[in-house]
Amino acid sequence: MKAFVAGATGETGRRIVAELVKREIPVKALVRDMETAQQILPPTVELVTGDVLKPDTFATAIRDCTVVLCATGAKPSFEITGPYQVDYQGTKNLVDVAKAQGIEHFVLVTSLCVSQFFHPLNLFWLILVWKKQAEEYLKKSGLTYTIVRPGGLKNDDNDQNVVMQSADTLFEGSIPRTKVAQVCVEALFLEGSQNKIVEIVANSDAPQKSFEQLFANVLN
C-alpha cells in the first residue's frame, strides 16, 4: 500500500499523514507550498507540488500509489467560487485521475449535514452543496470509496469514544481531527468500510467499539 494524500498540509490532512506514517504506510503528499509542507509534514513523506484544480500537476505522481485520501476544503473567503472549485471541481479532478490510474480505495472527508440545504454553512457560498456533489461524483465513479462526514472539527484530541452512523442520521456533535484521521486510515484496512458513507462524532457517553465494529454497523 502507498497513499496519496490531497490537502496534506491542512489541519485534518496533516493528521491523516501522521496516522499513515505511524502505521508505516508510504505517503506521497500533494502540496501547493513546498516550504510550508517541509515544516509541517514528517521528513519521510514524499512531497509533490501541485494543485487539485490542475490535474496535470499530479496525474503522473499518483501512478505509484494504491490508495487516495482527500482532505481538501475551501477556506472561508470572499471568493464566491471557492467551494465550487475546491470542494467539487478539485475533488472531481482527483477522482478522475484516481480512476484512470486504477486506485484501489478512495477516502473522502466531507462534513456532517451535507444533505441539508438550509444550513448555516451554506451561507459560505453553498459549501455543503458542493461537498455533496463531490460525494455523488465519487459514488458514481466506480471506485471503491469511503466517505467520512465528521462533525465539528477540534484541533485538540480527547479520550471520548467515536460514534459512527449511516448517512443523514447525525446532525450535531464534534470530533477531534486526530480521530477523523484514524477513521480515514482504518477504512483502508477494513472491508466493512467499503462503499459506505459514515458520519462520525465523539461522545464521552458512547460505548467503546473497535473500528471494525463501527464500520460493520453502518448500512451501505
Side-chain angles (χ1 to χ4, degrees):
M1 183 185 293
K2 184 173 184 178
F4 187 89
V5 182
T9 58
E11 291 290 350
T12 301
R14 69 184 68 177
R15 288 166 173 81
I16 289 174
V17 170
E19 188 66 24
L20 289 163
V21 171
K22 181 181 174 183
R23 297 287 294 265
E24 299 184 346
I25 300 168
V27 179
K28 185 177 285 190
L30 181 67
V31 302
R32 286 186 294 176
D33 187 320
M34 183 65 72
E35 187 175 344
T36 299
Q38 289 172 337
Q39 296 172 356
I40 292 174
L41 301 177
T44 56
V45 174
E46 184 179 352
L47 303 178
V48 177
T49 304
D51 190 327
V52 290
L53 296 179
K54 302 173 182 177
D56 58 330
T57 63
F58 63 87
T60 301
I62 207 171
R63 285 180 181 170
D64 64 338
C65 297
T66 57
V67 298
V68 170
L69 300 99
C70 179
T72 56
K75 295 180 180 179
S77 73
F78 292 108
E79 175 54 60
I80 294 175
T81 63
Y84 164 76
Q85 291 186 54
V86 178
D87 292 279
Y88 175 65
Q89 190 61 53
T91 303
K92 180 177 178 291
N93 291 341
L94 197 58
V95 169
D96 288 343
V97 172
K99 186 174 181 179
Q101 299 296 343
I103 288 295
E104 297 171 7
H105 199 149
F106 193 114
V107 178
L108 174 63
V109 181
T110 61
S111 174
L112 224 58
C113 300
V114 293
S115 300
Q116 294 185 329
F117 182 79
F118 296 104
H119 190 282
L121 282 177
N122 274 328
L123 295 174
F124 172 39
W125 316 129
L126 300 178
I127 188 168
L128 294 181
V129 169
W130 293 119
K131 286 182 182 293
K132 181 67 183 299
Q133 291 302 308
E135 288 186 0
E136 293 300 320
Y137 192 81
L138 174 57
K139 286 169 63 179
K140 294 174 183 176
S141 69
L143 288 166
T144 296
Y145 67 85
T146 305
I147 294 169
V148 179
R149 295 178 177 175
L153 295 166
K154 294 184 174 182
N155 288 340
D156 295 329
D157 200 4
N158 59 40
D159 58 1
Q160 296 180 354
N161 293 323
V162 173
V163 176
M164 183 182 292
Q165 293 184 193
S166 304
D168 306 323
T169 60
L170 275 174
F171 302 103
E172 59 183 19
S174 61
I175 187 168
R177 295 179 191 269
T178 300
K179 287 182 169 55
V180 176
Q182 290 169 350
V183 169
C184 290
V185 175
E186 288 292 337
L188 301 172
F189 294 92
L190 298 174
E191 189 174 337
S193 77
Q194 295 181 4
N195 302 324
K196 288 183 178 180
I197 296 175
V198 298
E199 298 188 334
I200 54 172
V201 296
N203 191 318
S204 57
D205 296 327
Q208 185 172 5
K209 297 180 180 178
S210 68
F211 284 109
E212 189 171 13
Q213 291 173 314
L214 289 169
F215 279 114
N217 289 336
V218 173
L219 302 175
N220 287 69

